[in-house]
Amino acid sequence: MGRKIECVMLVALVTLLNICFACVGASSLRNNNYEKELLRRNLLANGLAQTPPMGWNSWNHFNCQINEKIIRQTADALVSTGLSKLGYTYVNIDDCWAELNRDNKGNLVAKKSTFPSGIKALADYVHSKGLKLGIYSDAGYFTCSKKMPGSLGHEFQDAKTFASWGIDYLKYDNCYNDESKPTVRYPVMTRALMKAGRPIFFSLCEWGDLHPALWGARVGNSWRTTGDINDSWESMITKADMNEFYAELAKPGGWNGLLQAPLLLGCDISNVTKETMEIVSNKEVIAVNQDSLGVQAKKVRMEGDAEIWAGPLSGYRVAVVLLNRGPQQSLAITANWDDIGIPPKTVVEARDLWEHKTLEKHFVNKLSATVDSHACKMFVLKPIA
């Protein structure tokens, strides 16, 4: 059943704004010849992002109206709803958590009116739930809200602070900078995190300004490829198109669209509807997102508003999405084997991931379905003969 809200979940998988790479190479630079070393090895090798990160981020729902109570309640809700057992383990604080001014030693200070217990105590609480705590800063003089300092010029000090608090994830924005290139500013924080003494997932929130998909693997674990998303069909679908451009860069540890994109929820976990919970807790869709093969799906055919997205999975399976991105109701869409990478005349078994059922009919050479406007159907195809 191609319900619109289910398709929103799919597009969220396609367009969650980040492309993640778990970088390989040396964990430290052996000399000061930075440019030479950069060509030879990656900057970051923290062992993280072997699969796309899953969790929650505070910004979309709460914006700057955050406090330690909300973060604790969210951690509690991830556990009580069972989402944490499905892999949603990061609890990420976004902008506005710190005082505008640093202390007399130049350290970042948690905002006393909203985080009176401090970030370390909050990290301890989140860790006690079996979860991980993320935090936010900026490769500029201020964060994007301009209500707290950025880390430009304080990278090593701030990285040590984050590590001492027990931080597990850093989202690093791009506002109010010195107009130098991100390729100059972001690697400074990379080196700082390497020396901080704690593995910290490094998310480059660079907005796609300088095509971070082309250089981010040497710098961090994930990066954004577009500007801000909003809660509309047009915003989500256009960002899916933009991310698909970088599909060839995806690989194990590198996540960029339909199959493996970061799953960071942006709603109020304590007050989600039953229908939303059914979508975000869909184990079969999550399994596609977390598949070990790590080959990103691509848009393999377009015919007007009808699109077929497909990509290989482990076990010789193929994930396929039939998408009706236009206003026409009941649009017939066909996925042909030669488009989606299945050998001709192969007999396949089709699993409907929304309906949680294996179709009785077996398919040869193609699979067809009727899809409603702004809706989709999602299948995993398994060769059987």
Side-chain angles (χ1 to χ4, degrees):
M1 180 169 58
R3 293 179 296 177
K4 294 182 181 180
I5 192 165
E6 292 172 336
C7 198
V8 170
M9 174 56 181
L10 169 68
V11 177
L13 295 181
V14 180
T15 63
L16 277 169
L17 307 178
N18 295 301
I19 305 172
C20 296
F21 277 79
C23 303
V24 296
S27 61
S28 62
L29 297 177
R30 297 182 184 277
N31 58 52
N32 293 324
N33 192 346
Y34 171 70
E35 291 298 331
K36 181 178 179 181
E37 288 292 313
L38 186 59
L39 293 174
R40 192 165 67 87
R41 63 181 67 192
N42 296 321
L43 283 176
L44 192 64
N46 56 17
L48 303 176
Q50 297 302 305
T51 59
M54 296 174 61
W56 173 85
N57 178 278
S58 64
W59 183 258
N60 280 355
H61 183 81
F62 292 100
N63 290 198
C64 274
Q65 306 305 311
I66 55 172
N67 55 56
E68 63 182 42
K69 181 180 179 181
I70 289 172
I71 304 304
R72 288 173 180 255
Q73 287 177 340
T74 299
D76 293 343
L78 285 173
V79 174
S80 64
T81 58
L83 288 172
S84 63
K85 290 184 178 179
L86 296 176
Y88 294 95
T89 55
Y90 283 104
V91 182
N92 293 343
I93 308 169
D94 211 281
D95 204 350
C96 307
W97 61 268
E99 297 285 2
L100 179 60
N101 298 310
R102 294 172 177 267
D103 67 15
N104 57 11
K105 294 182 179 179
N107 295 312
L108 290 168
V109 179
K111 195 170 183 180
K112 294 179 181 179
S113 61
T114 51
F115 292 87
S117 302
I119 303 301
K120 186 179 187 307
L122 188 56
D124 290 344
Y125 182 83
V126 170
H127 291 158
S128 75
K129 298 289 181 177
L131 304 173
K132 302 172 183 177
L133 186 67
I135 210 162
Y136 169 95
S137 190
D138 191 288
Y141 299 115
F142 296 95
T143 62
C144 293
S145 69
K146 213 172 183 178
K147 295 183 177 181
M148 57 173 278
S151 292
L152 186 62
H154 292 266
E155 292 89 349
F156 288 85
Q157 184 174 15
D158 290 353
K160 288 182 179 179
T161 297
F162 298 149
S164 71
W165 288 343
I167 293 299
D168 302 292
Y169 184 115
L170 173 63
K171 176 183 174 183
Y172 205 49
D173 223 327
N174 197 30
C175 291
Y176 300 110
N177 57 70
D178 60 2
E179 299 186 358
S180 63
K181 291 183 177 180
T183 48
V184 173
R185 287 177 286 113
Y186 278 82
V188 180
M189 180 55 82
T190 305
R191 295 194 295 273
L193 292 174
M194 289 167 58
K195 296 182 177 181
R198 179 183 180 84
I200 297 176
F201 185 107
F202 191 24
S203 171
L204 318 181
C205 186
E206 187 262 11
W207 321 329
D209 181 36
L210 201 64
H211 300 291
L214 302 179
W215 51 268
R218 298 189 298 270
V219 180
N221 298 111
S222 72
W223 52 88
R224 251 176 65 166
T225 58
T226 73
D228 287 351
I229 198 170
N230 62 58
D231 189 11
S232 70
W233 174 262
E234 186 62 28
S235 176
M236 290 187 292
I237 203 69
T238 55
K239 285 170 175 54
D241 295 337
M242 294 170 71
N243 267 333
E244 198 260 346
F245 177 79
Y246 297 106
E248 297 299 335
L249 296 175
K251 57 183 178 180
W255 322 117
N256 171 24
L258 170 62
L259 295 188
Q260 288 84 8
L263 288 178
L264 299 177
L265 305 176
C267 56
D268 180 0
I269 303 297
S270 300
N271 293 286
V272 294
T273 65
K274 180 181 179 181
E275 193 167 22
T276 297
M277 185 59 66
E278 289 177 353
I279 294 169
V280 300
S281 63
N282 187 320
K283 293 181 180 180
E284 297 191 69
V285 174
I286 291 172
V288 172
N289 175 267
Q290 298 283 303
D291 185 73
S292 61
L293 190 61
V295 177
Q296 185 192 318
K298 297 187 67 174
K299 189 187 305 184
V300 297
R301 181 174 287 274
M302 298 176 291
E303 295 179 357
D305 290 326
E307 293 185 353
I308 298 96
W309 293 67
L313 298 173
S314 58
Y316 303 104
R317 299 168 301 147
V318 176
V320 177
V321 168
L322 308 181
L323 172 65
N324 178 359
R325 63 187 291 162
Q328 181 179 341
Q329 298 290 338
S330 301
L331 185 62
I333 305 177
T334 298
N336 295 300
W337 281 193
D338 59 351
D339 289 329
I340 64 177
I342 296 178
K345 299 183 180 180
T346 300
V347 180
V348 307
E349 178 182 87
R351 178 74 176 178
D352 187 323
L353 302 194
W354 297 127
E355 296 295 325
H356 302 293
K357 67 180 182 181
T358 300
L359 303 185
E360 293 183 5
K361 177 184 177 181
H362 292 160
F363 297 86
V364 182
N365 293 329
K366 63 183 180 180
L367 179 147
S368 300
T370 300
V371 185
D372 292 338
S373 171
H374 290 189
C376 60
K377 294 193 175 183
M378 187 173 184
F379 303 93
V380 168
L381 307 183
K382 180 180 178 180
I384 58 174

